[in-house]
Amino acid sequence: MAAINDATILSPMTLSLALTSDPGATHAEKLLAWYDRHHRELPWRTSPAAAKAGKRADPYHVWLSEVMLQQTTVQAVKPYFEKFLARWPKVTDLAAAPSEDVMAAWAGLGYYARARNLKKCAEAVASEHGGIFPDTEEGLRALPGIGDYTSAAVAAIAFNRPSAVMDGNVERVISRLFAIDAPLPGSKPVMKAKVAALTPTDRPGDFAQAMMDLGATICTPKRPACALCPFRDDCLALSEHDPERFPVKAAKKAKPVRYGAAFVAVTDDGEILLRRRIESGLLGGMTEVPTTDWTARMDGGTTPDHAPFAGDWQPSGTIVHVFTHFELRLSVFRIRTVAQAINGGWWEPVTNLEAQALPTVMKKAITAAIPLAFTKSLN
DNA sequence: GAGTCGTGGGC
DNA sequence: TGCCCAAGACT
């Protein structure tokens, strides 16, 4: 740094263009210069060069990606995003699709209320907005499944509105930059005001994506790469030599354990008994094998006494699945039977399980009883 | 404001 | 291994 500053042949203008740590530049200028060089390339994103030329990402693509990315990693989202876009190229296609198809396509991505609201939102855009997404934060915020973050993100990224976009990445960057000691989530309004003050009217969409890229690649939860950060000369947490101390968060509660049983019935024709869960609540609207209630105590619910029909149910092991707020231990039972009418259930060929809206916990239970259920060997 | 709501990966 | 975390929304 000293060697460059001492180089008299470089004019101040050249210096400001060459250095991301120009002390005279604003936070936004430093960050955008960094983003121009180090942005991630993602399927739903327009490059900063194209964005500067006036090209905007498709609002449908931005919205779809943002909903999928809620509490979900980029890596997990990529194949789902491509699959949805190939199958439903326009928001009106998604609006017209059967909800069972949408739920089945979402299976495995988690937080299934997102898929239910995704469908509702597509229908609202198609029927109430002529198939065109609202182009303001307020208009977007009124749609199902679009909250504070997503409305601001779509407004900024798709419509270049100067919205204050704050997700978990931005919270981490801001809390470190200003060394905010107050714990989340109570400190959110203070952080949001900081973001609003930093957000530029020029390139607000790139600024929002740059903040998130910075949090994802440099200002990481553990071992942040502060030497590479465009805010390294401004960061109060770094000046205190402990950036990992931020963001401060409220203590978490212990995760309780619940117990239950799952029943895998298969006919000689290779059909399995399935049910559809009620629309609301845990795994709402998704497909399942019959199970007991999931209770806090290990009691009668973990024996075949509560099977969907009487018979010679065989124990097939226990599977453990960890949800957000409890751990589930399911005793799995299997039986060979003849197809019979079951109230509220249906018999599905095991070879067609991949097309079902089966959440991961149900795939685990089925696999415990039928080890090859989800392999090509049965197809 | 505090609970509810999935899943897979990293360390 | 157990814990934390990931582009949060809804009630």
Side-chain angles (χ1 to χ4, degrees):
Chain A
M1 179 71 79
I4 295 176
N5 279 330
D6 291 342
T8 53
I9 87 186
L10 292 177
S11 71
M13 176 63 77
T14 304
L15 274 174
S16 74
L17 291 173
L19 301 177
T20 57
S21 61
D22 175 3
T26 65
H27 288 88
E29 288 167 345
K30 292 177 183 178
L31 181 66
L32 286 167
W34 172 84
Y35 183 69
D36 286 341
R37 289 181 175 276
H38 303 292
H39 63 91
R40 291 179 292 176
E41 296 193 2
L42 301 170
W44 46 84
R45 177 176 281 183
T46 297
S47 75
K52 278 191 271 193
K55 179 175 168 58
R56 301 266 171 276
D58 187 322
Y60 172 52
H61 298 188
V62 175
W63 162 74
L64 179 61
S65 68
E66 291 298 345
V67 174
M68 287 182 167
L69 285 162
Q70 290 166 8
Q71 297 291 286
T72 308
T73 57
V74 165
Q75 167 123 359
V77 164
K78 279 181 179 175
Y80 284 86
F81 177 80
E82 304 285 8
K83 177 170 65 176
F84 269 67
L85 216 52
R87 188 161 175 184
W88 300 294
K90 301 293 180 187
V91 66
T92 46
D93 299 324
L94 189 57
S99 62
E100 297 78 25
D101 290 357
V102 177
M103 299 306 288
W106 194 277
L109 203 51
Y111 284 131
Y112 298 99
R114 291 185 297 171
R116 301 195 295 271
N117 286 329
L118 189 83
K119 181 77 167 78
K120 289 182 193 167
C121 184
E123 291 169 353
V125 170
S127 65
E128 299 171 23
H129 299 277
I132 309 294
F133 276 89
D135 65 356
T136 65
E137 187 174 345
E138 296 72 25
L140 291 159
R141 182 67 176 79
L143 292 167
I146 299 187
D148 288 336
Y149 163 75
T150 304
S151 58
V154 175
I157 297 168
F159 300 112
N160 216 36
R161 303 277 188 184
S163 308
V165 178
M166 190 171 76
D167 72 329
N169 288 305
V170 178
E171 287 172 359
R172 190 166 53 254
V173 171
I174 291 292
S175 66
R176 288 174 177 171
L177 185 56
F178 298 102
I180 295 174
D181 285 299
L184 284 168
S187 54
K188 254 185 168 180
V190 172
M191 292 195 201
K192 181 98 174 224
K194 296 284 191 187
V195 176
L198 294 185
T199 300
T201 52
D202 181 45
R203 303 180 65 191
D206 281 350
F207 176 82
Q209 296 179 92
M211 286 287 279
M212 294 188 279
D213 276 19
L214 187 69
T217 65
I218 302 291
C219 195
T220 48
K222 302 297 179 188
R223 297 173 57 103
C226 299
L228 303 178
C229 182
F231 295 151
R232 62 186 175 278
D233 295 332
D234 312 298
C235 183
L236 290 182
L238 181 57
S239 74
E240 294 175 3
H241 304 103
D242 192 10
E244 284 189 24
R245 185 165 76 83
F246 304 95
V248 179
K249 294 187 177 182
K252 299 192 172 169
K253 295 196 166 183
K255 192 166 289 191
V257 179
R258 295 185 194 173
Y259 302 87
F263 302 97
V264 179
V266 183
T267 69
D268 290 333
D269 295 333
E271 294 185 327
I272 183 172
L273 179 59
L274 297 179
R275 299 190 308 201
R276 183 179 170 90
R277 294 175 65 88
I278 62 173
E279 284 300 313
S280 61
L282 186 71
L283 309 178
M286 300 295 285
T287 299
E288 66 172 6
V289 294
T291 78
T292 63
D293 289 339
W294 303 341
T295 61
R297 292 189 311 121
M298 192 165 180
D299 53 21
T302 60
T303 75
D305 297 350
H306 298 70
F309 55 85
D312 185 21
W313 292 92
Q314 299 295 317
S316 303
T318 299
I319 64 119
V320 178
H321 190 78
V322 181
F323 292 98
T324 306
H325 54 294
F326 68 93
E327 175 182 312
L328 178 64
R329 299 180 189 173
L330 270 185
S331 302
V332 181
F333 296 89
R334 67 169 181 265
I335 196 170
R336 297 278 291 194
T337 183
V338 294
Q340 53 192 294
I342 301 292
N343 197 11
W346 75 89
W347 297 90
E348 186 73 33
V350 174
T351 52
N352 197 34
L353 283 178
E354 288 291 0
Q356 305 303 307
L358 287 165
T360 297
V361 61
M362 293 302 159
K363 290 188 175 183
K364 283 187 188 176
I366 292 170
T367 298
I370 313 172
L372 300 179
F374 292 96
T375 65
K376 301 275 187 191
S377 61
L378 283 182
N379 294 329

